[in-house]
């Protein structure tokens, strides 16, 4: 067997054969690739300021918790907004919705690059840009969160721009990559109404839930 025949095909940093084998395994054993993802936010004693953490997750029924996966983010508001709202000693932090939009760009890039691997496209450039308009009236208690039995839509005009470059990219390839945006999990999360029932636990004074 020649070296060429024995070489591993790597595309976009992924072993193509291993990728295909995993997908076949998932097809036969779907329960083994189901996720439960988690995040936690702790109030820092100042409106909007939250220390958020991600780390543990569950894959195929097995909860995985490693110290190396304790990622911390300190979220809040824009300095100009804090000044306008009367915050003492206003600071500037990443706003939670900005981080959600950043996560959306990352997840779209994941979906598109994975689709490129599946189709055999070698991407030389991939960028996702997103923006959305937000009406803060619900947050400011100038409007109720529900109207006529429906949750008020606070957002308008979610815009997504995908920039891709690759050699010999055809119109079919472009349409395929554009369509693969819908494979993004975060895109699904922010564009569909997912049923949920928030649970509120009231902790005793001096204790933590």
């Amino acid at each position: 067997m020649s070296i060429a025949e024995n070489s591993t095909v790597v595309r976009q940093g992924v072993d193509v054969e291993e990728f295909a084998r995993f997908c076949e395994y998932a097809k036969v054993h779907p329960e083994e690739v189901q996720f439960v993802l988690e995040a936690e936010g702790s109030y820092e004693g100042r409106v909007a300021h939250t220390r958020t953490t991600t780390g543990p997750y569950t894959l195929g029924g097995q909860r995985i918790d490693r110290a190396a996966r304790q990622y911390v983010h300190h979220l809040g508001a824009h300095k100009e907004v804090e000044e306008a709202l009367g915050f003492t000693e206003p600071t500037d932090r990443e706003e939670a919705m900005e981080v959600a939009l950043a996560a959306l760009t990352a997840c779209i890039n994941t979906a598109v690059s994975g689709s490129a691997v599946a189709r055999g496209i070698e991407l030389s450039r991939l960028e996702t840009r997103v923006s959305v308009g937000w009406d803060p009236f619900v947050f400011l208690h100038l409007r109720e969160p529900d109207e006529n039995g429906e949750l008020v839509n606070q957002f308008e005009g979610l815009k997504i721009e995908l920039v891709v470059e690759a050699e010999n990219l055809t119109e079919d390839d472009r349409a395929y990559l554009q369509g693969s945006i819908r494979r993004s999990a975060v895109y699904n999360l922010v564009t569909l109404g997912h049923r949920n029932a928030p649970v509120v636990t009231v902790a005793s004074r001096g204790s933590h839930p």
Side-chain angles (χ1 to χ4, degrees):
M1 182 180 292
S2 69
I3 294 177
E5 291 173 331
N6 194 38
S7 62
T8 299
V9 178
V10 176
R11 187 174 295 124
Q12 307 294 319
V14 174
D15 183 320
V16 175
E17 290 185 1
E18 285 291 334
F19 188 88
R21 276 196 290 268
F22 179 83
C23 291
E24 284 300 314
Y25 177 84
K27 185 177 181 180
V28 177
H29 306 281
E31 72 284 352
E32 294 296 320
V33 297
Q34 302 305 308
F35 284 84
V36 177
L37 306 175
E38 307 173 26
E40 181 177 304
S42 299
Y43 179 56
E44 295 181 293
R46 184 180 177 90
V47 173
H49 285 214
T50 296
R51 178 184 184 274
T52 67
T53 58
T54 57
Y57 69 99
T58 301
L59 175 59
Q62 179 183 356
R63 194 166 188 270
I64 300 169
D65 187 3
R66 289 182 279 108
R69 291 211 85 252
Q70 298 301 313
Y71 299 105
V72 179
H73 309 272
H74 293 277
L75 305 183
H78 312 96
K79 183 177 181 181
E80 294 79 8
V81 173
E82 289 196 357
E83 289 175 343
L85 290 174
F87 279 52
T88 59
E89 300 180 4
T91 60
D92 195 280
R93 286 190 176 190
E94 286 183 293
E95 212 280 338
M97 287 177 291
E98 292 176 319
V99 176
L101 292 175
L104 177 59
T105 67
C107 197
I108 288 176
N109 283 354
T110 299
V112 173
S113 59
S115 296
V117 169
R119 194 175 175 95
I121 299 172
E122 282 284 358
L123 294 172
S124 57
R125 181 186 178 193
L126 170 60
E127 292 178 10
T128 298
R129 303 164 187 158
V130 301
S131 64
V132 69
W134 175 53
D135 180 350
F137 266 40
V138 171
F139 169 74
L140 296 172
H141 288 248
L142 299 174
R143 188 177 182 184
E144 292 301 315
D146 298 272
E147 292 181 356
N148 301 318
E150 296 288 336
L151 197 62
V152 170
N153 184 359
Q154 303 178 35
F155 297 92
E156 183 178 1
L158 176 62
K159 297 178 181 178
I160 300 173
E161 180 185 0
L162 187 66
V163 180
V164 294
E165 287 183 7
E167 283 191 22
N168 303 316
L169 197 66
T170 67
E171 279 301 307
D172 283 345
D173 291 336
R174 185 197 61 78
Y176 168 79
L177 294 176
Q178 182 179 13
S180 68
I181 290 174
R182 294 174 298 183
R183 297 185 184 277
S184 159
V186 178
Y187 178 81
N188 184 285
L189 181 64
V190 302
T191 58
L192 293 183
H194 296 276
R195 293 184 179 276
N196 64 91
V199 176
V200 178
T201 301
V202 179
S204 301
R205 181 170 295 182
S207 67
H208 297 277

